Amino acid sequence: MITTRADGLTLDTDPARIDLDRVHHWLSTDAFWALGRSRETVARSIEHSLVFGVYTPDTAEQVAFARIVTDYATFGWLCDVYVARESRGRGIGTWLAESVVAALAPYRLKRLMLSTLDAHEVYARAGFSAVSEPEKLMVITAPAPSAVPTGPATGGVKPLATDLKR
């Protein structure tokens, strides 16, 4: 999917266009939810997600990123939404969120979710609202990396067969 705004910014879902180094830098150094995230983790998350990049008209420089984790049937999770600091204040975040919602509309997902600390108004413009029954939601939060067991002998989880192929 490729969409272009009146100002020439282009939104594209081609994972080959994603500037991995730039996205890794943004997330690992400036996104509070992903500080310190490894380049390998960012690469793997992109590989297994529907990705959205926003690019300038003149240089095709990437200025924003988002990804969706979805089964394309019932559920989607919008995450890692990031607009470059120098590009903020131009409605790019709202356009990106609206484009994600539009791209997923044909799948008629029962639920599209996200988590935000401070951008509720941006996402509300794209149709998101607060969870009506938050008491139904639960989460497992991973322990700090130094506390994660390293293998079966220390209580680690055996990798799935599909993980072994990577």
Side-chain angles (χ1 to χ4, degrees), residues 10-157:
T10 301
L11 182 142
D12 193 347
T13 57
D14 181 357
R17 284 193 74 184
I18 298 296
D19 183 337
L20 177 58
D21 291 330
R22 180 174 294 225
V23 172
H24 171 251
H25 177 75
W26 287 339
L27 295 179
S28 68
T29 65
D30 195 40
F32 68 86
W33 66 90
L35 293 176
R37 188 177 288 174
S38 74
R39 187 178 189 284
E40 176 188 357
T41 298
V42 173
R44 197 171 60 212
S45 71
I46 289 170
E47 180 183 347
H48 295 285
S49 299
L50 170 60
V51 294
F52 292 77
V54 177
Y55 307 90
T56 61
D58 48 350
T59 63
E61 176 183 11
Q62 187 169 354
V63 296
F65 173 78
R67 67 186 183 92
I68 299 289
V69 179
T70 185
D71 59 9
Y72 294 98
T74 63
F75 180 78
W77 180 264
L78 174 57
C79 51
D80 291 340
V81 179
Y82 188 92
V83 176
R85 287 192 173 271
E86 63 275 8
S87 297
R88 293 179 186 170
R90 298 171 42 201
I92 295 171
T94 297
W95 180 53
L96 183 54
E98 290 170 342
S99 297
V100 165
V101 170
L104 293 173
Y107 300 102
R108 301 177 60 213
L109 304 180
K110 180 177 181 177
R111 189 166 286 113
L112 180 56
M113 298 182 73
L114 62 82
S115 175
T116 185
L117 179 65
D118 58 2
H120 295 79
E121 291 144 14
V122 169
Y123 297 113
R125 287 190 284 264
F128 288 89
S129 61
V131 176
S132 62
E133 299 174 287
E135 67 277 4
K136 289 184 175 182
L137 297 176
M138 298 181 75
V139 65
I140 294 176
T141 302
S146 61
V148 176
T150 57
T154 59
V157 178

